[in-house]
Amino acid sequence: MTAYSKRVVFTMGGKGGVGKTGVMVSLAEWFASNKIPVTLLDLDTENKARGSLKHFFNGTVTKVNIHTPAGLDAFVDHLDGGTPIILADMGAGAGQVAADWFESMHEDVAAIGVRFTAVGVVTPDPASVESVLAWASRLQDRVEYVIVENATSALADFTYWRSTEQANRFREAFTPEILQMEFRIAELENPVRQHGIQLGQVADRKTDVGELKRASLVMRAQSYRRRLFSEFDRARQAFLP
Amino acid sequence: MILQQPSTHLEGNQAIAEFADLPPKPPRSKLEPHRELIRELRRKGRTYREVARLFHERLGLYVAPSTLHSFVKVRAKHRKRTQFELPPLELAVAESPALERIAALKTKPPVRNAKPTRFVFRENEPLTLTSNGGEQ
């Protein structure tokens, strides 16, 4: 029996703009709040600067080009003697690369004690659901699944995720952890993205961006963070080795 | 009407047991004590006629060349049959570790590379709403 000691948590890229990087930024903050060191890998070759994981964490993020013959071997290299957990943010177009890598490498990497968690982000847009299902169709049960319902509006409707036959089959096959990420007001969300500021930096008043120092936004950031961390706490088994 | 004949033949194992105590029969040929000598002379290229003459001159044993010929041929056949009756090669060398490993490898079941597919999603198919069409 394999003793699992490492975990790679990665976003299922594909549909752009659904909030994958935002989820990973928050997840990295959650690990930091628990004082668990993680390695951050930015595998998003589409977002060169703004919007990528590196935009939010700069010097602590390693940018990796996965479109090489070695593909995702960076997972193995960074786990070798490094932190027990990797957070990897995949960009659009990474699906086939990831599928090929898992096909050829997963069995041996799993044998040395590495587990994988695929994080999918769905929005009311059916394309986001199709993207997650397409990845799952390739990855099968080589990974554990965490699905984040990202409310992109105050009254977000997740019908295509919650009430389609294909999504039902996916849930029945893999019983993913399902987390809610609530809608964030534009006054907070837009400058946070623009300046690459972490939610926690706003909540803890550690930002120099003037518009993010407003007491109401600080309080909003604290509320969002508390509820999202509570969701991560609930699914912690899927994030820990 | 069918008459059942009484069994006059002993069955396999029973017969073997029955004849086990019989003493071995002495050799029928007077040449039997000289088998190795005959083989040696033949190996040196002597003809049956020469061997017959040597036996007569040196051993005082009169034997026709044709008798010598028959004696040698019958035993040659016997040697060949004995050789054929040796155990098959694979049994004789089965104790070789390498051959044992080869045999084990041949019987190794094929590795199942592909896990059974638990979920299939065809990307060109539109999402289908469930019959209730709303929240679960």
Side-chain angles (χ1 to χ4, degrees), chain A residues 27-98:
Chain A
L27 195 53
E29 290 187 76
W30 176 76
F31 276 113
S33 72
N34 286 289
K35 297 184 171 52
I36 296 173
V38 298
T39 299
L40 301 176
L41 297 183
D42 189 347
L43 312 179
D44 186 353
T45 50
E46 296 295 317
N47 285 320
K48 298 292 182 190
R50 211 175 304 283
S52 70
L53 200 60
K54 196 172 178 64
H55 181 51
F56 288 89
F57 292 96
N58 201 13
T60 57
V61 178
T62 304
K63 194 99 178 172
V64 176
N65 178 16
I66 60 169
H67 297 286
T68 65
L72 294 170
D73 283 2
F75 287 160
V76 180
D77 293 332
H78 283 86
L79 285 173
D80 184 24
T83 63
I85 298 166
I86 282 180
L87 298 187
D89 190 24
M90 301 258 203
Q96 194 55 52
V97 172

Side-chain angles (χ1 to χ4, degrees), chain B residues 56-74:
Chain B
H56 179 62
E57 290 172 1
R58 305 280 178 89
L59 304 175
L61 183 65
Y62 179 79
V63 60
S66 59
T67 306
L68 279 167
H69 177 261
S70 299
F71 179 84
V72 170
K73 290 299 170 193
V74 165

Side-chain angles (χ1 to χ4, degrees), chain A residues 126 129-130 133-134 136-138 140-141 157-160 162-166 168-171 173-174, chain B residues 111-123 125-136:
Chain A
V129 179
E130 290 176 349
L133 299 183
S137 187
R138 291 166 174 155
Q140 294 295 318
D141 56 2
D157 174 9
F158 291 100
T159 295
Y160 287 101
R162 294 176 181 169
S163 304
T164 54
E165 290 173 5
Q166 293 92 335
N168 282 353
R169 286 207 314 271
F170 165 73
R171 282 191 295 271
F174 303 122
Chain B
V111 176
R112 284 193 308 113
N113 285 326
K115 281 186 169 183
T117 302
R118 292 173 57 187
F119 172 71
V120 175
F121 176 69
R122 293 176 183 82
E123 295 180 48
E125 277 184 13
L127 296 174
T128 315
L129 289 172
T130 51
S131 53
N132 59 5
E135 296 288 308
Q136 290 188 323

